[in-house]
mmCIF file of all heavy atoms in Angstrom:
data_model
loop_
_atom_site.group_PDB
_atom_site.id
_atom_site.type_symbol
_atom_site.label_atom_id
_atom_site.label_comp_id
_atom_site.label_asym_id
_atom_site.label_seq_id
_atom_site.Cartn_x
_atom_site.Cartn_y
_atom_site.Cartn_z
ATOM 1 N N ALA A 1 2.749 8.647 -22.613
ATOM 2 C CA ALA A 1 3.613 9.651 -23.464
ATOM 3 C C ALA A 1 5.013 9.638 -23.063
ATOM 4 O O ALA A 1 5.376 9.391 -21.890
ATOM 5 C CB ALA A 1 3.002 11.023 -23.318
ATOM 6 N N PRO A 2 5.898 9.905 -24.025
ATOM 7 C CA PRO A 2 7.388 9.885 -23.628
ATOM 8 C C PRO A 2 7.686 10.877 -22.526
ATOM 9 O O PRO A 2 8.728 10.572 -21.868
ATOM 10 C CB PRO A 2 7.968 10.303 -24.946
ATOM 11 C CG PRO A 2 6.957 10.042 -26.014
ATOM 12 C CD PRO A 2 5.717 10.245 -25.389
ATOM 13 N N THR A 3 6.973 11.889 -22.363
ATOM 14 C CA THR A 3 7.257 12.764 -21.286
ATOM 15 C C THR A 3 6.754 12.399 -19.950
ATOM 16 O O THR A 3 7.021 13.126 -18.993
ATOM 17 C CB THR A 3 6.744 14.312 -21.575
ATOM 18 O OG1 THR A 3 5.326 14.127 -21.796
ATOM 19 C CG2 THR A 3 7.390 14.761 -22.918
ATOM 20 N N ALA A 4 6.065 11.364 -19.845
ATOM 21 C CA ALA A 4 5.425 11.021 -18.682
ATOM 22 C C ALA A 4 6.527 10.508 -17.679
ATOM 23 O O ALA A 4 7.545 9.918 -17.957
ATOM 24 C CB ALA A 4 4.499 9.806 -18.801
ATOM 25 N N ARG A 5 6.329 10.945 -16.461
ATOM 26 C CA ARG A 5 7.236 10.606 -15.332
ATOM 27 C C ARG A 5 7.261 9.038 -15.097
ATOM 28 O O ARG A 5 6.326 8.411 -15.004
ATOM 29 C CB ARG A 5 6.846 11.246 -14.079
ATOM 30 C CG ARG A 5 7.856 11.115 -12.978
ATOM 31 C CD ARG A 5 7.434 11.926 -11.727
ATOM 32 N NE ARG A 5 6.019 11.636 -11.378
ATOM 33 C CZ ARG A 5 5.443 11.785 -10.131
ATOM 34 N NH1 ARG A 5 6.172 12.289 -9.258
ATOM 35 N NH2 ARG A 5 4.224 11.548 -9.917
ATOM 36 N N ARG A 6 8.476 8.500 -15.043
ATOM 37 C CA ARG A 6 8.564 7.087 -14.958
ATOM 38 C C ARG A 6 8.791 6.561 -13.566
ATOM 39 O O ARG A 6 8.713 5.415 -13.273
ATOM 40 C CB ARG A 6 9.728 6.589 -15.911
ATOM 41 C CG ARG A 6 9.491 6.839 -17.309
ATOM 42 C CD ARG A 6 10.432 6.229 -18.296
ATOM 43 N NE ARG A 6 10.112 6.358 -19.616
ATOM 44 C CZ ARG A 6 9.307 5.648 -20.312
ATOM 45 N NH1 ARG A 6 8.688 4.559 -19.697
ATOM 46 N NH2 ARG A 6 8.966 5.827 -21.637
ATOM 47 N N ARG A 7 9.057 7.436 -12.651
ATOM 48 C CA ARG A 7 9.185 7.079 -11.203
ATOM 49 C C ARG A 7 7.805 6.688 -10.617
ATOM 50 O O ARG A 7 6.818 7.289 -11.040
ATOM 51 C CB ARG A 7 9.834 8.029 -10.335
ATOM 52 C CG ARG A 7 11.308 8.238 -10.821
ATOM 53 C CD ARG A 7 11.909 9.226 -9.856
ATOM 54 N NE ARG A 7 13.469 9.378 -10.150
ATOM 55 C CZ ARG A 7 14.188 10.260 -9.375
ATOM 56 N NH1 ARG A 7 13.668 10.935 -8.500
ATOM 57 N NH2 ARG A 7 15.466 10.281 -9.721
ATOM 58 N N PRO A 8 7.631 5.838 -9.743
ATOM 59 C CA PRO A 8 6.408 5.573 -9.048
ATOM 60 C C PRO A 8 5.953 6.788 -8.408
ATOM 61 O O PRO A 8 6.686 7.657 -7.914
ATOM 62 C CB PRO A 8 6.685 4.479 -8.012
ATOM 63 C CG PRO A 8 8.013 3.892 -8.470
ATOM 64 C CD PRO A 8 8.784 4.906 -9.163
ATOM 65 N N PRO A 9 4.556 7.047 -8.369
ATOM 66 C CA PRO A 9 4.085 8.242 -7.800
ATOM 67 C C PRO A 9 4.431 8.358 -6.311
ATOM 68 O O PRO A 9 4.605 7.291 -5.592
ATOM 69 C CB PRO A 9 2.561 7.985 -7.818
ATOM 70 C CG PRO A 9 2.391 6.955 -8.978
ATOM 71 C CD PRO A 9 3.555 6.101 -8.880
ATOM 72 N N VAL A 10 4.624 9.503 -5.895
ATOM 73 C CA VAL A 10 5.016 9.769 -4.467
ATOM 74 C C VAL A 10 3.885 9.286 -3.473
ATOM 75 O O VAL A 10 2.753 9.519 -3.755
ATOM 76 C CB VAL A 10 5.178 11.284 -4.219
ATOM 77 C CG1 VAL A 10 5.414 11.542 -2.752
ATOM 78 C CG2 VAL A 10 6.367 11.780 -5.074
ATOM 79 N N GLY A 11 4.271 8.504 -2.506
ATOM 80 C CA GLY A 11 3.318 7.982 -1.567
ATOM 81 C C GLY A 11 2.835 6.580 -1.893
ATOM 82 O O GLY A 11 2.094 5.948 -1.139
ATOM 83 N N SER A 12 3.189 6.059 -3.120
ATOM 84 C CA SER A 12 2.535 4.758 -3.463
ATOM 85 C C SER A 12 3.083 3.607 -2.581
ATOM 86 O O SER A 12 2.355 2.637 -2.254
ATOM 87 C CB SER A 12 2.892 4.437 -4.944
ATOM 88 O OG SER A 12 4.327 4.452 -5.106
ATOM 89 N N GLY A 13 4.406 3.771 -2.063
ATOM 90 C CA GLY A 13 4.962 2.803 -1.225
ATOM 91 C C GLY A 13 4.204 2.812 0.145
ATOM 92 O O GLY A 13 3.853 1.720 0.649
ATOM 93 N N LEU A 14 3.954 4.071 0.648
ATOM 94 C CA LEU A 14 3.164 4.106 1.960
ATOM 95 C C LEU A 14 1.812 3.536 1.827
ATOM 96 O O LEU A 14 1.209 2.881 2.715
ATOM 97 C CB LEU A 14 3.159 5.590 2.317
ATOM 98 C CG LEU A 14 2.236 5.932 3.608
ATOM 99 C CD1 LEU A 14 2.797 5.174 4.747
ATOM 100 C CD2 LEU A 14 2.268 7.400 3.792
ATOM 101 N N LEU A 15 1.158 3.851 0.547
ATOM 102 C CA LEU A 15 -0.215 3.277 0.378
ATOM 103 C C LEU A 15 -0.159 1.855 0.325
ATOM 104 O O LEU A 15 -1.085 1.152 0.916
ATOM 105 C CB LEU A 15 -0.672 3.831 -0.982
ATOM 106 C CG LEU A 15 -2.154 3.642 -1.215
ATOM 107 C CD1 LEU A 15 -3.029 4.255 -0.196
ATOM 108 C CD2 LEU A 15 -2.489 4.309 -2.659
ATOM 109 N N ALA A 16 0.805 1.218 -0.250
ATOM 110 C CA ALA A 16 0.945 -0.260 -0.236
ATOM 111 C C ALA A 16 1.043 -0.741 1.131
ATOM 112 O O ALA A 16 0.465 -1.875 1.471
ATOM 113 C CB ALA A 16 2.112 -0.596 -1.045
ATOM 114 N N VAL A 17 1.837 -0.140 2.067
ATOM 115 C CA VAL A 17 1.955 -0.588 3.420
ATOM 116 C C VAL A 17 0.622 -0.429 4.037
ATOM 117 O O VAL A 17 0.177 -1.343 4.825
ATOM 118 C CB VAL A 17 2.993 0.284 4.128
ATOM 119 C CG1 VAL A 17 2.966 0.001 5.638
ATOM 120 C CG2 VAL A 17 4.438 -0.007 3.488
ATOM 121 N N LEU A 18 -0.097 0.621 3.893
ATOM 122 C CA LEU A 18 -1.455 0.838 4.453
ATOM 123 C C LEU A 18 -2.380 -0.274 4.066
ATOM 124 O O LEU A 18 -3.179 -0.840 4.913
ATOM 125 C CB LEU A 18 -1.962 2.162 4.204
ATOM 126 C CG LEU A 18 -1.219 3.422 4.776
ATOM 127 C CD1 LEU A 18 -1.913 4.685 4.336
ATOM 128 C CD2 LEU A 18 -1.395 3.373 6.254
ATOM 129 N N VAL A 19 -2.404 -0.572 2.771
ATOM 130 C CA VAL A 19 -3.376 -1.631 2.283
ATOM 131 C C VAL A 19 -2.933 -2.989 2.842
ATOM 132 O O VAL A 19 -3.806 -3.685 3.305
ATOM 133 C CB VAL A 19 -3.272 -1.676 0.680
ATOM 134 C CG1 VAL A 19 -4.027 -2.943 0.266
ATOM 135 C CG2 VAL A 19 -3.809 -0.414 0.106
ATOM 136 N N ALA A 20 -1.618 -3.292 2.947
ATOM 137 C CA ALA A 20 -1.261 -4.595 3.492
ATOM 138 C C ALA A 20 -1.583 -4.590 4.982
ATOM 139 O O ALA A 20 -2.076 -5.659 5.485
ATOM 140 C CB ALA A 20 0.262 -4.744 3.375
ATOM 141 N N GLY A 21 -1.336 -3.472 5.683
ATOM 142 C CA GLY A 21 -1.743 -3.420 7.116
ATOM 143 C C GLY A 21 -3.240 -3.657 7.324
ATOM 144 O O GLY A 21 -3.700 -4.369 8.242
ATOM 145 N N LEU A 22 -4.043 -3.065 6.408
ATOM 146 C CA LEU A 22 -5.563 -3.208 6.490
ATOM 147 C C LEU A 22 -5.986 -4.644 6.212
ATOM 148 O O LEU A 22 -6.902 -5.210 6.951
ATOM 149 C CB LEU A 22 -6.227 -2.271 5.475
ATOM 150 C CG LEU A 22 -7.699 -2.170 5.511
ATOM 151 C CD1 LEU A 22 -8.269 -1.820 6.969
ATOM 152 C CD2 LEU A 22 -8.253 -1.282 4.458
ATOM 153 N N ALA A 23 -5.362 -5.205 5.253
ATOM 154 C CA ALA A 23 -5.632 -6.647 4.973
ATOM 155 C C ALA A 23 -5.305 -7.514 6.227
ATOM 156 O O ALA A 23 -6.039 -8.455 6.518
ATOM 157 C CB ALA A 23 -4.840 -7.085 3.748
ATOM 158 N N ILE A 24 -4.174 -7.210 6.886
ATOM 159 C CA ILE A 24 -3.767 -8.027 8.030
ATOM 160 C C ILE A 24 -4.839 -7.854 9.140
ATOM 161 O O ILE A 24 -5.267 -8.795 9.856
ATOM 162 C CB ILE A 24 -2.425 -7.661 8.517
ATOM 163 C CG1 ILE A 24 -1.400 -8.188 7.481
ATOM 164 C CG2 ILE A 24 -2.023 -8.215 9.840
ATOM 165 C CD1 ILE A 24 0.071 -7.595 7.780
ATOM 166 N N LEU A 25 -5.255 -6.633 9.389
ATOM 167 C CA LEU A 25 -6.283 -6.377 10.345
ATOM 168 C C LEU A 25 -7.624 -7.130 10.118
ATOM 169 O O LEU A 25 -8.187 -7.705 10.999
ATOM 170 C CB LEU A 25 -6.564 -4.826 10.482
ATOM 171 C CG LEU A 25 -5.479 -4.017 11.174
ATOM 172 C CD1 LEU A 25 -5.873 -2.501 11.136
ATOM 173 C CD2 LEU A 25 -5.192 -4.406 12.567
ATOM 174 N N VAL A 26 -8.062 -7.115 8.796
ATOM 175 C CA VAL A 26 -9.269 -7.770 8.508
ATOM 176 C C VAL A 26 -9.073 -9.309 8.577
ATOM 177 O O VAL A 26 -10.003 -9.877 9.083
ATOM 178 C CB VAL A 26 -9.538 -7.415 6.950
ATOM 179 C CG1 VAL A 26 -10.623 -8.407 6.475
ATOM 180 C CG2 VAL A 26 -9.909 -5.971 6.803
ATOM 181 N N ALA A 27 -7.909 -9.822 8.311
ATOM 182 C CA ALA A 27 -7.760 -11.348 8.431
ATOM 183 C C ALA A 27 -7.389 -11.765 9.866
ATOM 184 O O ALA A 27 -7.503 -13.010 10.167
ATOM 185 C CB ALA A 27 -6.642 -11.713 7.481
ATOM 186 N N TRP A 28 -7.064 -10.841 10.773
ATOM 187 C CA TRP A 28 -6.652 -11.220 12.148
ATOM 188 C C TRP A 28 -7.886 -11.944 12.805
ATOM 189 O O TRP A 28 -8.891 -11.416 12.946
ATOM 190 C CB TRP A 28 -6.263 -9.987 12.902
ATOM 191 C CG TRP A 28 -5.409 -10.365 14.205
ATOM 192 C CD1 TRP A 28 -5.877 -10.599 15.362
ATOM 193 C CD2 TRP A 28 -4.011 -10.455 14.102
ATOM 194 N NE1 TRP A 28 -4.883 -10.844 16.125
ATOM 195 C CE2 TRP A 28 -3.750 -10.837 15.493
ATOM 196 C CE3 TRP A 28 -2.971 -10.331 13.200
ATOM 197 C CZ2 TRP A 28 -2.403 -10.929 15.918
ATOM 198 C CZ3 TRP A 28 -1.692 -10.636 13.586
ATOM 199 C CH2 TRP A 28 -1.400 -10.933 14.900
ATOM 200 N N PRO A 29 -7.649 -13.161 13.274
ATOM 201 C CA PRO A 29 -8.726 -13.956 13.938
ATOM 202 C C PRO A 29 -9.257 -13.414 15.266
ATOM 203 O O PRO A 29 -8.360 -12.879 15.995
ATOM 204 C CB PRO A 29 -8.118 -15.345 14.005
ATOM 205 C CG PRO A 29 -6.708 -15.191 14.116
ATOM 206 C CD PRO A 29 -6.345 -13.909 13.316
ATOM 207 N N ALA A 30 -10.455 -13.766 15.564
ATOM 208 C CA ALA A 30 -10.925 -13.466 16.908
ATOM 209 C C ALA A 30 -10.528 -14.609 17.825
ATOM 210 O O ALA A 30 -10.244 -15.779 17.418
ATOM 211 C CB ALA A 30 -12.433 -13.357 16.928
ATOM 212 N N SER A 31 -10.598 -14.294 19.152
ATOM 213 C CA SER A 31 -10.282 -15.379 20.072
ATOM 214 C C SER A 31 -10.955 -15.015 21.437
ATOM 215 O O SER A 31 -11.275 -13.850 21.751
ATOM 216 C CB SER A 31 -8.800 -15.521 20.293
ATOM 217 O OG SER A 31 -8.241 -14.311 20.791
ATOM 218 N N THR A 32 -11.034 -16.013 22.292
ATOM 219 C CA THR A 32 -11.518 -15.816 23.685
ATOM 220 C C THR A 32 -10.428 -16.168 24.642
ATOM 221 O O THR A 32 -9.730 -17.256 24.414
ATOM 222 C CB THR A 32 -12.844 -16.522 24.016
ATOM 223 O OG1 THR A 32 -13.307 -16.173 25.265
ATOM 224 C CG2 THR A 32 -12.612 -18.114 24.024
#
């Protein structure tokens, strides 16, 4: 709708960082 707020939702940037960080943790390899 024309009245809809056009700025990204508050916290979406932080959420993107959290998802990226989680993906890095998941992909981090094991080692001995």
Side-chain angles (χ1 to χ4, degrees):
T3 57
R5 184 176 52 159
R6 295 187 176 276
R7 291 183 178 181
V10 175
S12 59
L14 176 60
L15 190 57
V17 171
L18 290 176
V19 171
L22 182 59
I24 291 172
L25 286 176
V26 168
W28 197 270
S31 63
T32 190

